[in-house]
Amino acid sequence: ISLLSALGTGLSKADATQRVANAGIKGGVTTTNAVVYETNLLASIDLRQRLVLGMKQAKLDRTSLVLDVNSMSNVTEMGEHYARIRDALIGSFGKPQKEYDTGIDPVGGLGDSSILRRVSEWNTSTGRIRFGMAKGIDGVVRFEVQHAKSLTSATSAFWGVKF
């Protein structure tokens, strides 16, 4: 997981992908604005994981680890995964500098139009790391860990990476 903070923003696409390759991660797929790797950065978490190098003008803008939620209806399992991912991040980066927990928004449960807003953030020498449950513009809720120089508001409903 320390690879996220090692990939500082502003790296060229070639430098960023070389650092990922040096970490033993191969086979990235290039999209319009990202390079996406199927990988298992958190070996103790049994969820589909993708490392996403978000590019802007051929430079690394943000690095994200996206973990798919198996079932939105299994709240217990989601809570366990959340805690295990957060514990792994605390093990690597220490206690979060900021935490937001506004509960479920809007009221009514974790349905198509709501999301549990619980976010932890750590400062790094090159930006900020954020972990939480993010809803992408596709409406899918995922666990996400993002590292970037600057991030949108932690209370925003749609702070998930676009790839």
Side-chain angles (χ1 to χ4, degrees), residues 3 6-8 11-28 30 35 37 51 53 55 58 60 63:
L3 179 61
L7 292 167
L11 289 174
S12 71
K13 182 178 178 181
D15 286 344
T17 56
Q18 185 59 54
R19 286 188 189 191
V20 171
N22 291 346
I25 301 169
K26 309 280 189 242
T30 301
V35 182
Y37 298 85
L51 177 66
L53 305 181
M55 308 304 292
L60 184 63
T63 306

Side-chain angles (χ1 to χ4, degrees), residues 4-5 10 27 42 55 62 71 76 83 90 92 109 115-117 132 136 148:
L4 289 175
S5 63
L42 292 173
M55 308 304 292
R62 73 185 56 240
S71 170
T76 301
I90 289 172
S92 291
I115 186 169
L116 177 66
R117 298 208 188 184

Side-chain angles (χ1 to χ4, degrees), residues 69-82:
V69 172
N70 286 336
S71 170
M72 290 295 293
S73 62
N74 190 338
V75 177
T76 301
E77 180 184 69
M78 286 175 46
E80 290 169 358
H81 283 305
Y82 180 91

Side-chain angles (χ1 to χ4, degrees), residues 7-10 60-63 123-129 146-152:
L7 292 167
T9 59
L60 184 63
D61 181 56
R62 73 185 56 240
T63 306
N123 295 324
T124 70
S125 61
T126 57
R128 189 177 321 148
I129 290 176
Q146 291 187 12
H147 182 237
K149 191 171 207 162
S150 63
L151 297 165
T152 60

